[in-house]
Amino acid sequence: MTLTFEPQYRYDFTCSVAQYYTSTDRQIIEGSFEAYYQLTDNEIKFEIAENYIPKGFCSVSDFEWKEIKL
């Protein structure tokens, strides 16, 4: 018998990034990802920061997301 796990949630997100904390020239990052369980706010921010923010951008703010139950 094989257990199959399928994602249960999708998170559509946006945030703004800049290369410096004092920079006013910010870029908007948009994307989405799926998860097997409902994530906490900190887990969502970690997932975005680790997997969707280009390296070299040390300032990340204005996190917004929509949680969708699949």
Side-chain angles (χ1 to χ4, degrees):
M1 183 169 122
T2 302
L3 292 177
T4 303
F5 294 97
E6 295 183 11
Q8 299 295 310
Y9 294 89
R10 186 176 82 228
Y11 294 90
D12 298 331
F13 68 86
T14 63
C15 63
S16 63
V17 298
Q19 289 185 319
Y20 306 100
Y21 292 108
T22 58
S23 179
T24 57
D25 185 25
R26 303 189 75 77
Q27 297 178 7
I28 301 296
I29 302 290
E30 297 178 314
S32 68
F33 63 93
E34 294 180 347
Y36 294 102
Y37 59 92
Q38 188 173 23
L39 302 175
T40 66
D41 290 356
N42 285 338
E43 289 173 322
I44 294 167
K45 289 178 182 179
F46 181 82
E47 178 75 21
I48 294 168
E50 283 294 308
N51 297 306
Y52 299 95
I53 305 303
K55 300 297 181 211
F57 286 84
C58 61
S59 177
V60 183
S61 61
D62 304 323
F63 286 98
E64 292 185 21
W65 61 83
K66 181 177 181 182
E67 178 183 273
I68 300 164
K69 176 96 168 103
L70 300 177

